[in-house]
Amino acid sequence: MKTKRDIGKIIKEGREKANISQRKLAAMCGISRQHLKNIESGKVDVRISTLAKISEALGIPIIVFFNGRR
């Protein structure tokens, strides 16, 4: 399984690739921008339910957060 930092990096890269701001992605997922920022920087654990929302919003298969393959 990936570390918190690995997961955060995948989210940030996916968000930037999709040209979505932190504020917009956070709103899409029902979380605060600060919480998303903390997730992206690997400072907090992310719940599976939140990860599923982020995954769907970015169009990234959720399995990528666990094994790193797309």
Side-chain angles (χ1 to χ4, degrees), residues 7-59:
I7 291 170
K9 184 177 178 183
I10 293 167
I11 292 169
K12 183 176 181 178
E13 288 173 353
R15 180 181 59 75
E16 289 175 344
K17 184 176 179 182
N19 199 30
I20 299 173
S21 70
Q22 280 185 336
R23 188 170 309 281
K24 183 175 179 180
L25 180 58
M28 292 168 71
C29 298
I31 60 175
S32 71
R33 187 198 64 79
Q34 185 62 47
H35 187 56
L36 178 60
K37 181 179 177 181
N38 289 337
I39 292 170
E40 286 187 351
S41 64
K43 292 181 181 177
V44 297
D45 289 318
V46 58
R47 292 180 181 200
I48 294 295
S49 59
T50 302
L51 195 57
K53 291 175 186 176
I54 293 170
S55 170
E56 184 176 335
L58 295 177

Side-chain angles (χ1 to χ4, degrees), residues 1-4 6-7 45-46 48 51 65-68:
M1 186 168 165
K2 299 289 184 184
T3 66
K4 292 185 286 188
D6 293 333
I7 291 170
D45 289 318
V46 58
I48 294 295
L51 195 57
F65 298 110
F66 300 98
N67 70 13

